[in-house]
Amino acid sequence: MTERTVWNQWWAKGRPGAMSTEAYMEAMVHWVAAETHSGPEASEKLAEYTALNAVRMKRVGKTYRMGDDMQAFLESGACKDQRWVVITESWCGDAAQSAPLMARLAEVAGVQLDWVLRDGEHPIIDDFLTRGGKSIPMWVVANAEGKVLATWGPRPATVRSMVEEYRAQPEPKPPYAEYAAQVQLWYARNRGKEFEQEALAMLRSI
């Protein structure tokens, strides 16, 4: 059985630092206006990513069309006693594509969704590492008492494969910007379909 010490302590303290979807979106507006980002250290590049992600998140929210199976499952009340948490940062390109979809699912399901910064004061990501790394976004599904029921993240299977292929390429590799552009193009074309398939499978398994 997995011990999630940081998570359990954070939950017992009342989930400090957690933001509602509305509060997180307001924070994004603030970060963009201030030409900064959610991380603890100043970075012009991360500020640029944050501004780009603010646009992406709005586009993802507008273009996503939920499938009938997902709609029916969420409206059935199967998730009504759950609590969802997404661990993220403003500069994360993968989070900009998936986190708005989580928010939409939570809205339809009537589930509370908390947004928690990976690099904030409460490092719950330490209990949800991917191959030892703090990859985000990480979506945690818990019950009302904080018991973790399932997790998803940080990327749909196709994007995970793209990441692994890029990492496996010998040096000198193509510029990272080229790889990132290919990933974002895939997200734009897929329009959340693969994420939704994986999310539905996860939620049904609980």
Side-chain angles (χ1 to χ4, degrees), residues 7-192:
W7 166 271
N8 291 335
Q9 291 176 350
W10 174 75
W11 192 277
K13 292 177 181 178
R15 306 192 301 283
M19 291 176 274
S20 66
T21 297
E22 182 180 11
Y24 186 80
M25 296 307 173
E26 289 177 355
M28 285 291 292
V29 172
H30 165 75
W31 290 320
V32 172
E35 297 183 354
T36 185
H37 60 93
S38 59
E41 298 180 6
S43 168
E44 186 175 334
K45 182 175 288 186
L46 296 186
E48 291 174 358
Y49 290 155
T50 295
L52 188 58
N53 286 340
V55 176
R56 284 174 176 157
M57 291 175 76
K58 288 182 180 180
R59 183 176 66 240
V60 169
K62 288 182 179 179
T63 59
Y64 175 54
R65 297 292 179 267
M66 188 177 297
D68 292 342
D69 287 349
M70 177 62 90
Q71 186 95 20
F73 179 81
L74 296 177
E75 291 180 347
S76 73
C79 304
K80 65 182 179 66
D81 295 323
Q82 296 173 0
R83 301 292 184 273
W84 296 356
V85 175
V86 55
I87 307 170
T88 188
E89 290 286 345
S90 67
W91 44 260
C92 178
D94 290 300
Q97 296 289 347
S98 298
L101 307 185
M102 299 172 199
R104 178 62 181 144
L105 301 189
E107 181 183 3
V108 174
V111 171
Q112 179 176 328
L113 175 65
D114 289 335
W115 298 64
V116 180
L117 298 180
R118 186 194 74 172
D119 300 328
E121 296 181 13
H122 306 278
I124 58 175
I125 190 65
D126 289 348
D127 286 338
F128 304 96
L129 302 179
T130 302
R131 296 182 179 178
K134 300 180 180 183
S135 299
I136 50 175
M138 187 60 61
W139 174 17
V140 183
V141 177
N143 65 14
E145 289 73 45
K147 178 183 177 181
V148 176
L149 305 175
T151 62
W152 179 94
R155 308 171 182 93
T158 297
V159 182
R160 286 204 306 274
S161 295
M162 294 172 73
V163 171
E164 290 167 4
E165 289 172 5
Y166 180 77
R167 288 175 177 169
Q169 290 183 42
E171 298 291 352
K173 297 179 182 179
Y176 178 82
E178 289 183 11
Y179 149 77
Q182 291 174 357
V183 168
Q184 292 300 325
L185 181 60
W186 180 88
Y187 275 124
R189 289 174 173 171
N190 188 258
R191 296 191 177 186

